[in-house]
Amino acid sequence: MKCTRCRAKAEVHLRAHNAGFCRPCYLTYFRRQVERAIAGDRMCITAERVLVAVSGGKDSLALWDVLIDLGYQTTGLYLAQGIGGYSDRSRQKVEAFASARALPLRVVDLADEGPGLAIPDVAALTRRSACSACGMLKRHFFDEAALAGEFDVLATGHNLDDEAARLLGNVLRWQVDHLVRQRPVLPPTHPRFVRKVKPLHLLSEYETAVYAFMRGIDYVVEECPNSVGATQLLYKDALNRLEAASPGTKLAFVREFHRRGQPAITARAEDDQRPPQTCARCGMPSWGDVCAFCKLVAEIETKRARGVTGPAA
Amino acid sequence: MKCTRCRAKAEVHLRAHNAGFCRPCYLTYFRRQVERAIAGDRMCITAERVLVAVSGGKDSLALWDVLIDLGYQTTGLYLAQGIGGYSDRSRQKVEAFASARALPLRVVDLADEGPGLAIPDVAALTRRSACSACGMLKRHFFDEAALAGEFDVLATGHNLDDEAARLLGNVLRWQVDHLVRQRPVLPPTHPRFVRKVKPLHLLSEYETAVYAFMRGIDYVVEECPNSVGATQLLYKDALNRLEAASPGTKLAFVREFHRRGQPAITARAEDDQRPPQTCARCGMPSWGDVCAFCKLVAEIETKRARGVTGPAA
């Protein structure tokens, strides 16, 4: 196969796009796709200060890499989750990436926050699953990092496979409220928060992996050990089978959702946008008297004080 | 496992419902599910005359069986598609079912209609695939059978697996117009047509197979040879995998679509309900000067007159 742009020998074949690229043209293609997503959805402009949430995986490091290339002022944000060797290794990758490029990086170590919030401890001391605890704590610390007014936007590395799997999950249960909120640009829910953007939302996992490989990015290949058997992986598998039989299925699913499905759904469901209150404990925006994060912290403090170490046997 | 209703030994286990049934209780359960679907969606009442579209497969024969049991006045309608041995065998099953129960049955033989409309001929002489030709001819002859005013409603045997697969296909491409029209009760699109209902739309393929088996219904087990590799089967396979990992997925997908997804989508998309015209050739309701069926017939007549027997080699 020949490169769709320059007719040289292609190194990558993208069946969903019915296109092939040599290495230089692939990198150009990838950057342009990110640029187009950012411009098309008005995610951010180069004058804005971007906080990039990085996990050490290929998607978030590829995102950071391409944002720098496109001229954005970026700071990395890494959340150390305390998930044993996996967290150690992913932190090393993130720190090596940032120091090799002299990029500013912030690290939040969950074990040092509040009563000690490493994911395994939170999961053991509360009724939450590790994945639910992790999602909630990510949201909290991402929002908090933006509170001081130093950043205009938070960027995450969610790719097409992530978005398609989440969309399939929302659609299988017709969670209309979730469908309304699944967007590549989430406006801030409070004046003190910043908007969240997903510049890679139309680029597949395969495409970001190829980009990371070609750019020599050293990333954590292993998946989080808690993700084994996660429903998300089941949805990804189902979508990958459909994609194999009909290339372009995932892209059409997500793109047509934003073009046609979501506008049709949104009109009705936009009402339940209650204005947020302020948390009586931490002062962060909250949808109750005390925010969900402070409720969790209080629960853990209580259990630690009682000497509880995990669920009753 | 014990029967959920009577505590006898269960013969069937329905994971999606977390229930088990002995044979008599399963038959009661199945009939009640059909009754509830008919009543809940106001499909029909026993005073109405029901035309049941039967293919010879388990779903349509199970439907006919249970409708009689529930006290409906029914007539069967079989469309002989001319698909070789498959059509011969399915016709035999339908005729045997009807004569054993002394039920009225109408047979439309496509080979005897117009210029000869057996599916293989239509597919060979036009650009349509066999499945597309079949769908179009079914719609035409089902509508036509109801024209004379002898029936109040047309019932088809679409089951949960059919509806879930169709819904997945519509959702993967976000075909909003199709999503709006996918309903267990389709009101007539013209005063001369009757409404169409799908009383089995929440009962799985497995549930109808068990019912047909327990009732001793002799049905065509083989699938239509044209369905091999059909996209519909790909969607069914994807949904079956999700169902195996999380029983109840298919039922929730279809039920919540009707409860939440479709009402959210419908408001906006209801506008393009153009009033039908009348076909200048056959006088049936039409969305153009000549209806799609008459266009097809004219194409075949022209090609037959020219001695064309199939696509140019």
Short mmCIF file of all heavy atoms in Angstrom, two decimals, chain A residues 101-157:
data_model
loop_
_atom_site.label_atom_id
_atom_site.label_comp_id
_atom_site.label_asym_id
_atom_site.label_seq_id
_atom_site.Cartn_x
_atom_site.Cartn_y
_atom_site.Cartn_z
N ARG A 101 11.78 16.69 28.49
CA ARG A 101 11.33 17.80 27.67
C ARG A 101 11.25 19.10 28.47
O ARG A 101 10.76 20.11 27.96
CB ARG A 101 9.94 17.48 27.08
CG ARG A 101 9.96 16.35 26.04
CD ARG A 101 8.58 15.73 25.86
NE ARG A 101 8.59 14.64 24.89
CZ ARG A 101 9.01 13.41 25.16
NH1 ARG A 101 9.47 13.09 26.38
NH2 ARG A 101 8.99 12.48 24.22
N ALA A 102 11.72 19.05 29.72
CA ALA A 102 11.71 20.23 30.61
C ALA A 102 10.31 20.84 30.71
O ALA A 102 10.12 22.05 30.57
CB ALA A 102 12.73 21.26 30.13
N LEU A 103 9.31 19.95 30.92
CA LEU A 103 7.93 20.42 31.01
C LEU A 103 7.50 20.46 32.47
O LEU A 103 7.88 19.59 33.26
CB LEU A 103 7.01 19.44 30.27
CG LEU A 103 7.24 19.32 28.76
CD1 LEU A 103 6.45 18.15 28.20
CD2 LEU A 103 6.83 20.63 28.06
N PRO A 104 6.72 21.49 32.85
CA PRO A 104 6.24 21.54 34.23
C PRO A 104 5.26 20.40 34.52
O PRO A 104 4.39 20.11 33.70
CB PRO A 104 5.54 22.89 34.32
CG PRO A 104 5.21 23.27 32.92
CD PRO A 104 6.25 22.63 32.04
N LEU A 105 5.43 19.77 35.67
CA LEU A 105 4.58 18.63 36.05
C LEU A 105 4.16 18.78 37.50
O LEU A 105 4.98 19.08 38.37
CB LEU A 105 5.36 17.32 35.88
CG LEU A 105 4.68 16.04 36.41
CD1 LEU A 105 3.44 15.69 35.60
CD2 LEU A 105 5.67 14.86 36.41
N ARG A 106 2.89 18.58 37.77
CA ARG A 106 2.40 18.55 39.15
C ARG A 106 2.02 17.13 39.50
O ARG A 106 1.39 16.44 38.68
CB ARG A 106 1.16 19.42 39.32
CG ARG A 106 1.48 20.84 39.03
CD ARG A 106 0.33 21.72 39.40
NE ARG A 106 0.72 23.08 39.12
CZ ARG A 106 0.02 24.13 39.47
NH1 ARG A 106 -1.13 23.99 40.14
NH2 ARG A 106 0.43 25.35 39.18
N VAL A 107 2.37 16.71 40.70
CA VAL A 107 2.01 15.38 41.14
C VAL A 107 1.15 15.49 42.40
O VAL A 107 1.52 16.19 43.34
CB VAL A 107 3.26 14.52 41.43
CG1 VAL A 107 2.86 13.17 42.03
CG2 VAL A 107 4.07 14.31 40.16
N VAL A 108 -0.01 14.87 42.38
CA VAL A 108 -0.85 14.76 43.59
C VAL A 108 -0.75 13.32 44.04
O VAL A 108 -1.11 12.41 43.28
CB VAL A 108 -2.32 15.14 43.29
CG1 VAL A 108 -3.19 14.89 44.51
CG2 VAL A 108 -2.43 16.58 42.83
N ASP A 109 -0.24 13.11 45.25
CA ASP A 109 -0.11 11.73 45.75
C ASP A 109 -1.31 11.46 46.66
O ASP A 109 -1.41 12.02 47.75
CB ASP A 109 1.21 11.57 46.51
CG ASP A 109 1.53 10.09 46.73
OD1 ASP A 109 0.57 9.28 46.80
OD2 ASP A 109 2.73 9.76 46.83
N LEU A 110 -2.20 10.59 46.21
CA LEU A 110 -3.43 10.35 46.96
C LEU A 110 -3.15 9.86 48.38
O LEU A 110 -3.91 10.17 49.31
CB LEU A 110 -4.33 9.35 46.22
CG LEU A 110 -4.99 9.86 44.93
CD1 LEU A 110 -5.84 8.77 44.30
CD2 LEU A 110 -5.85 11.09 45.23
N ALA A 111 -2.06 9.12 48.58
CA ALA A 111 -1.74 8.61 49.92
C ALA A 111 -1.47 9.74 50.90
O ALA A 111 -1.64 9.58 52.12
CB ALA A 111 -0.53 7.67 49.84
N ASP A 112 -1.05 10.91 50.39
CA ASP A 112 -0.74 12.06 51.26
C ASP A 112 -1.90 13.01 51.43
O ASP A 112 -1.80 14.01 52.14
CB ASP A 112 0.43 12.87 50.65
CG ASP A 112 1.70 12.05 50.55
OD1 ASP A 112 1.81 11.04 51.27
OD2 ASP A 112 2.58 12.41 49.72
N GLU A 113 -3.01 12.75 50.76
CA GLU A 113 -4.15 13.66 50.82
C GLU A 113 -5.09 13.25 51.94
O GLU A 113 -5.34 12.05 52.13
CB GLU A 113 -4.91 13.67 49.49
CG GLU A 113 -4.11 14.20 48.31
CD GLU A 113 -3.84 15.71 48.41
OE1 GLU A 113 -4.72 16.43 48.91
OE2 GLU A 113 -2.74 16.15 48.00
N GLY A 114 -5.63 14.25 52.66
CA GLY A 114 -6.61 14.01 53.71
C GLY A 114 -6.17 12.88 54.63
O GLY A 114 -5.01 12.85 55.06
N PRO A 115 -7.07 11.93 54.90
CA PRO A 115 -6.73 10.84 55.82
C PRO A 115 -5.91 9.73 55.15
O PRO A 115 -5.77 8.66 55.72
CB PRO A 115 -8.11 10.31 56.22
CG PRO A 115 -8.98 10.59 55.03
CD PRO A 115 -8.44 11.83 54.38
N GLY A 116 -5.39 10.01 53.92
CA GLY A 116 -4.72 8.94 53.16
C GLY A 116 -5.74 8.35 52.21
O GLY A 116 -6.66 7.65 52.64
N LEU A 117 -5.62 8.68 50.91
CA LEU A 117 -6.68 8.32 49.96
C LEU A 117 -6.19 7.42 48.83
O LEU A 117 -6.75 7.43 47.72
CB LEU A 117 -7.32 9.60 49.38
CG LEU A 117 -8.08 10.48 50.39
CD1 LEU A 117 -8.52 11.78 49.74
CD2 LEU A 117 -9.31 9.74 50.93
N ALA A 118 -5.13 6.63 49.10
CA ALA A 118 -4.70 5.66 48.08
C ALA A 118 -5.91 4.80 47.71
O ALA A 118 -6.70 4.41 48.59
CB ALA A 118 -3.56 4.80 48.61
N ILE A 119 -6.07 4.51 46.41
CA ILE A 119 -7.27 3.82 45.93
C ILE A 119 -7.56 2.51 46.68
O ILE A 119 -8.71 2.29 47.10
CB ILE A 119 -7.18 3.55 44.40
CG1 ILE A 119 -7.04 4.87 43.63
CG2 ILE A 119 -8.36 2.76 43.89
CD1 ILE A 119 -8.21 5.81 43.74
N PRO A 120 -6.56 1.65 46.93
CA PRO A 120 -6.88 0.39 47.62
C PRO A 120 -7.45 0.63 49.03
O PRO A 120 -8.38 -0.08 49.45
CB PRO A 120 -5.53 -0.33 47.70
CG PRO A 120 -4.70 0.27 46.60
CD PRO A 120 -5.14 1.70 46.51
N ASP A 121 -6.95 1.67 49.72
CA ASP A 121 -7.48 1.99 51.05
C ASP A 121 -8.91 2.48 50.97
O ASP A 121 -9.78 2.08 51.76
CB ASP A 121 -6.62 3.08 51.72
CG ASP A 121 -5.21 2.58 52.03
OD1 ASP A 121 -4.99 1.34 51.94
OD2 ASP A 121 -4.35 3.41 52.34
N VAL A 122 -9.17 3.37 50.01
CA VAL A 122 -10.53 3.91 49.87
C VAL A 122 -11.50 2.78 49.54
O VAL A 122 -12.58 2.67 50.13
CB VAL A 122 -10.57 5.00 48.78
CG1 VAL A 122 -12.01 5.47 48.54
CG2 VAL A 122 -9.70 6.19 49.18
N ALA A 123 -11.10 1.90 48.62
CA ALA A 123 -11.98 0.79 48.24
C ALA A 123 -12.22 -0.13 49.43
O ALA A 123 -13.34 -0.61 49.64
CB ALA A 123 -11.39 0.02 47.07
N ALA A 124 -11.19 -0.37 50.23
CA ALA A 124 -11.34 -1.28 51.37
C ALA A 124 -12.21 -0.68 52.46
O ALA A 124 -12.96 -1.38 53.13
CB ALA A 124 -9.96 -1.63 51.94
N LEU A 125 -12.14 0.65 52.66
CA LEU A 125 -12.81 1.29 53.79
C LEU A 125 -14.22 1.79 53.45
O LEU A 125 -14.96 2.20 54.34
CB LEU A 125 -11.97 2.46 54.31
CG LEU A 125 -10.72 2.05 55.12
CD1 LEU A 125 -9.81 3.26 55.32
CD2 LEU A 125 -11.11 1.45 56.45
N THR A 126 -14.57 1.82 52.17
CA THR A 126 -15.91 2.30 51.80
C THR A 126 -16.58 1.22 50.95
O THR A 126 -15.98 0.19 50.67
CB THR A 126 -15.83 3.60 50.97
OG1 THR A 126 -15.27 3.29 49.70
CG2 THR A 126 -14.98 4.65 51.66
N ARG A 127 -17.79 1.49 50.54
CA ARG A 127 -18.48 0.48 49.73
C ARG A 127 -18.18 0.65 48.25
O ARG A 127 -18.78 -0.02 47.41
CB ARG A 127 -19.98 0.60 49.95
CG ARG A 127 -20.41 0.02 51.27
CD ARG A 127 -21.91 0.01 51.35
NE ARG A 127 -22.32 -0.34 52.70
CZ ARG A 127 -23.58 -0.45 53.06
NH1 ARG A 127 -24.53 -0.22 52.18
NH2 ARG A 127 -23.89 -0.77 54.29
N ARG A 128 -17.35 1.61 47.91
CA ARG A 128 -17.08 1.85 46.49
C ARG A 128 -16.15 0.80 45.91
O ARG A 128 -15.26 0.29 46.59
CB ARG A 128 -16.42 3.21 46.32
CG ARG A 128 -17.35 4.37 46.55
CD ARG A 128 -16.58 5.68 46.48
NE ARG A 128 -17.45 6.79 46.79
CZ ARG A 128 -18.13 7.47 45.88
NH1 ARG A 128 -18.04 7.15 44.61
NH2 ARG A 128 -18.92 8.48 46.22
N SER A 129 -16.31 0.53 44.61
CA SER A 129 -15.32 -0.28 43.91
C SER A 129 -14.11 0.61 43.66
O SER A 129 -14.19 1.84 43.73
CB SER A 129 -15.88 -0.76 42.58
OG SER A 129 -15.99 0.33 41.70
N ALA A 130 -12.96 -0.01 43.38
CA ALA A 130 -11.75 0.75 43.10
C ALA A 130 -12.00 1.74 41.95
O ALA A 130 -11.58 2.90 42.01
CB ALA A 130 -10.60 -0.20 42.76
N CYS A 131 -12.69 1.28 40.89
CA CYS A 131 -12.89 2.14 39.71
C CYS A 131 -13.80 3.32 40.03
O CYS A 131 -13.61 4.42 39.52
CB CYS A 131 -13.47 1.33 38.55
SG CYS A 131 -12.32 0.07 37.96
N SER A 132 -14.80 3.09 40.86
CA SER A 132 -15.70 4.17 41.24
C SER A 132 -14.96 5.18 42.11
O SER A 132 -15.08 6.40 41.93
CB SER A 132 -16.91 3.58 41.96
OG SER A 132 -17.43 4.49 42.90
N ALA A 133 -14.17 4.70 43.08
CA ALA A 133 -13.38 5.59 43.94
C ALA A 133 -12.41 6.41 43.09
O ALA A 133 -12.28 7.63 43.25
CB ALA A 133 -12.61 4.78 44.98
N CYS A 134 -11.74 5.74 42.16
CA CYS A 134 -10.75 6.39 41.32
C CYS A 134 -11.39 7.49 40.47
O CYS A 134 -10.87 8.62 40.38
CB CYS A 134 -10.08 5.35 40.44
SG CYS A 134 -8.76 5.99 39.42
N GLY A 135 -12.52 7.21 39.88
CA GLY A 135 -13.21 8.19 39.04
C GLY A 135 -13.59 9.42 39.85
O GLY A 135 -13.41 10.56 39.41
N MET A 136 -14.10 9.18 41.04
CA MET A 136 -14.55 10.28 41.89
C MET A 136 -13.37 11.13 42.35
O MET A 136 -13.43 12.37 42.32
CB MET A 136 -15.29 9.65 43.08
CG MET A 136 -16.05 10.65 43.88
SD MET A 136 -15.02 11.32 45.20
CE MET A 136 -16.30 11.48 46.43
N LEU A 137 -12.28 10.48 42.75
CA LEU A 137 -11.11 11.23 43.23
C LEU A 137 -10.43 11.98 42.09
O LEU A 137 -9.99 13.12 42.26
CB LEU A 137 -10.13 10.28 43.92
CG LEU A 137 -10.65 9.71 45.25
CD1 LEU A 137 -9.71 8.63 45.78
CD2 LEU A 137 -10.83 10.81 46.30
N LYS A 138 -10.37 11.38 40.91
CA LYS A 138 -9.83 12.08 39.74
C LYS A 138 -10.61 13.37 39.52
O LYS A 138 -10.03 14.44 39.37
CB LYS A 138 -9.98 11.21 38.48
CG LYS A 138 -8.81 10.31 38.17
CD LYS A 138 -9.05 9.68 36.80
CE LYS A 138 -8.18 8.47 36.57
NZ LYS A 138 -8.73 7.60 35.52
N ARG A 139 -11.93 13.24 39.46
CA ARG A 139 -12.76 14.42 39.21
C ARG A 139 -12.47 15.51 40.24
O ARG A 139 -12.26 16.67 39.90
CB ARG A 139 -14.25 14.02 39.24
CG ARG A 139 -15.17 15.07 38.65
CD ARG A 139 -16.55 14.50 38.29
NE ARG A 139 -17.12 13.71 39.37
CZ ARG A 139 -17.39 12.41 39.30
NH1 ARG A 139 -17.14 11.74 38.21
NH2 ARG A 139 -17.92 11.78 40.34
N HIS A 140 -12.39 15.10 41.51
CA HIS A 140 -12.16 16.08 42.57
C HIS A 140 -10.81 16.78 42.41
O HIS A 140 -10.73 18.01 42.45
CB HIS A 140 -12.22 15.39 43.94
CG HIS A 140 -11.87 16.33 45.07
ND1 HIS A 140 -12.77 17.20 45.61
CD2 HIS A 140 -10.69 16.54 45.71
CE1 HIS A 140 -12.18 17.92 46.55
NE2 HIS A 140 -10.92 17.54 46.64
N PHE A 141 -9.75 16.01 42.22
CA PHE A 141 -8.42 16.63 42.19
C PHE A 141 -8.15 17.36 40.86
O PHE A 141 -7.39 18.32 40.83
CB PHE A 141 -7.33 15.61 42.54
CG PHE A 141 -7.34 15.29 44.01
CD1 PHE A 141 -7.89 14.10 44.48
CD2 PHE A 141 -6.84 16.20 44.94
CE1 PHE A 141 -7.92 13.82 45.84
CE2 PHE A 141 -6.88 15.93 46.31
CZ PHE A 141 -7.43 14.73 46.76
N PHE A 142 -8.80 16.91 39.80
CA PHE A 142 -8.69 17.67 38.53
C PHE A 142 -9.37 19.03 38.71
O PHE A 142 -8.83 20.07 38.33
CB PHE A 142 -9.35 16.91 37.37
CG PHE A 142 -8.59 15.68 36.92
CD1 PHE A 142 -9.13 14.83 35.96
CD2 PHE A 142 -7.33 15.37 37.43
CE1 PHE A 142 -8.43 13.71 35.53
CE2 PHE A 142 -6.64 14.24 37.00
CZ PHE A 142 -7.19 13.40 36.05
N ASP A 143 -10.58 19.02 39.26
CA ASP A 143 -11.29 20.27 39.49
C ASP A 143 -10.49 21.17 40.43
O ASP A 143 -10.35 22.36 40.20
CB ASP A 143 -12.67 19.99 40.11
CG ASP A 143 -13.70 19.56 39.07
OD1 ASP A 143 -13.52 19.86 37.88
OD2 ASP A 143 -14.69 18.92 39.47
N GLU A 144 -9.96 20.58 41.49
CA GLU A 144 -9.24 21.37 42.49
C GLU A 144 -8.00 22.01 41.89
O GLU A 144 -7.67 23.17 42.21
CB GLU A 144 -8.85 20.49 43.68
CG GLU A 144 -8.52 21.32 44.90
CD GLU A 144 -7.84 20.50 45.99
OE1 GLU A 144 -6.83 19.82 45.70
OE2 GLU A 144 -8.32 20.55 47.12
N ALA A 145 -7.29 21.27 41.04
CA ALA A 145 -6.05 21.81 40.45
C ALA A 145 -6.33 23.07 39.64
O ALA A 145 -5.45 23.90 39.45
CB ALA A 145 -5.39 20.75 39.58
N ALA A 146 -7.57 23.21 39.16
CA ALA A 146 -7.90 24.35 38.32
C ALA A 146 -8.44 25.53 39.15
O ALA A 146 -8.60 26.63 38.63
CB ALA A 146 -8.92 23.94 37.27
N LEU A 147 -8.69 25.31 40.45
CA LEU A 147 -9.36 26.31 41.29
C LEU A 147 -8.59 27.62 41.40
O LEU A 147 -9.19 28.70 41.47
CB LEU A 147 -9.56 25.76 42.71
CG LEU A 147 -10.81 24.94 43.00
CD1 LEU A 147 -10.89 24.70 44.49
CD2 LEU A 147 -12.06 25.64 42.50
N ALA A 148 -7.26 27.54 41.45
CA ALA A 148 -6.45 28.73 41.75
C ALA A 148 -6.42 29.74 40.62
O ALA A 148 -5.85 30.82 40.77
CB ALA A 148 -5.03 28.29 42.12
N GLY A 149 -7.01 29.39 39.49
CA GLY A 149 -7.06 30.36 38.40
C GLY A 149 -5.82 30.34 37.52
O GLY A 149 -5.64 31.22 36.67
N GLU A 150 -4.95 29.34 37.69
CA GLU A 150 -3.74 29.31 36.87
C GLU A 150 -3.97 28.70 35.49
O GLU A 150 -3.10 28.80 34.64
CB GLU A 150 -2.66 28.46 37.57
CG GLU A 150 -2.22 28.97 38.92
CD GLU A 150 -1.50 27.86 39.68
OE1 GLU A 150 -0.31 27.64 39.39
OE2 GLU A 150 -2.16 27.19 40.51
N PHE A 151 -5.09 28.00 35.33
CA PHE A 151 -5.33 27.32 34.05
C PHE A 151 -6.68 27.72 33.46
O PHE A 151 -7.59 28.11 34.19
CB PHE A 151 -5.26 25.80 34.24
CG PHE A 151 -3.93 25.37 34.80
CD1 PHE A 151 -3.80 25.03 36.14
CD2 PHE A 151 -2.80 25.35 33.99
CE1 PHE A 151 -2.56 24.66 36.66
CE2 PHE A 151 -1.56 25.00 34.50
CZ PHE A 151 -1.43 24.65 35.85
N ASP A 152 -6.76 27.61 32.14
CA ASP A 152 -8.00 27.96 31.46
C ASP A 152 -8.79 26.73 31.05
O ASP A 152 -9.98 26.81 30.79
CB ASP A 152 -7.69 28.79 30.21
CG ASP A 152 -6.93 30.07 30.57
OD1 ASP A 152 -7.50 30.90 31.28
OD2 ASP A 152 -5.75 30.19 30.17
N VAL A 153 -8.08 25.61 30.96
CA VAL A 153 -8.73 24.42 30.41
C VAL A 153 -8.00 23.17 30.90
O VAL A 153 -6.78 23.21 31.14
CB VAL A 153 -8.78 24.52 28.85
CG1 VAL A 153 -7.38 24.69 28.26
CG2 VAL A 153 -9.47 23.32 28.22
N LEU A 154 -8.74 22.10 31.11
CA LEU A 154 -8.15 20.81 31.47
C LEU A 154 -8.33 19.86 30.29
O LEU A 154 -9.46 19.69 29.80
CB LEU A 154 -8.85 20.22 32.70
CG LEU A 154 -8.39 18.79 33.06
CD1 LEU A 154 -7.12 18.84 33.92
CD2 LEU A 154 -9.48 18.02 33.78
N ALA A 155 -7.22 19.26 29.82
CA ALA A 155 -7.31 18.34 28.68
C ALA A 155 -7.06 16.91 29.14
O ALA A 155 -6.15 16.66 29.93
CB ALA A 155 -6.28 18.73 27.61
N THR A 156 -7.88 15.99 28.67
CA THR A 156 -7.68 14.57 29.01
C THR A 156 -7.48 13.77 27.72
O THR A 156 -7.90 14.19 26.64
CB THR A 156 -8.87 13.98 29.79
OG1 THR A 156 -10.06 14.16 29.02
CG2 THR A 156 -9.04 14.67 31.14
N GLY A 157 -6.86 12.60 27.86
CA GLY A 157 -6.47 11.80 26.69
C GLY A 157 -7.50 10.78 26.23
O GLY A 157 -7.14 9.86 25.52
#
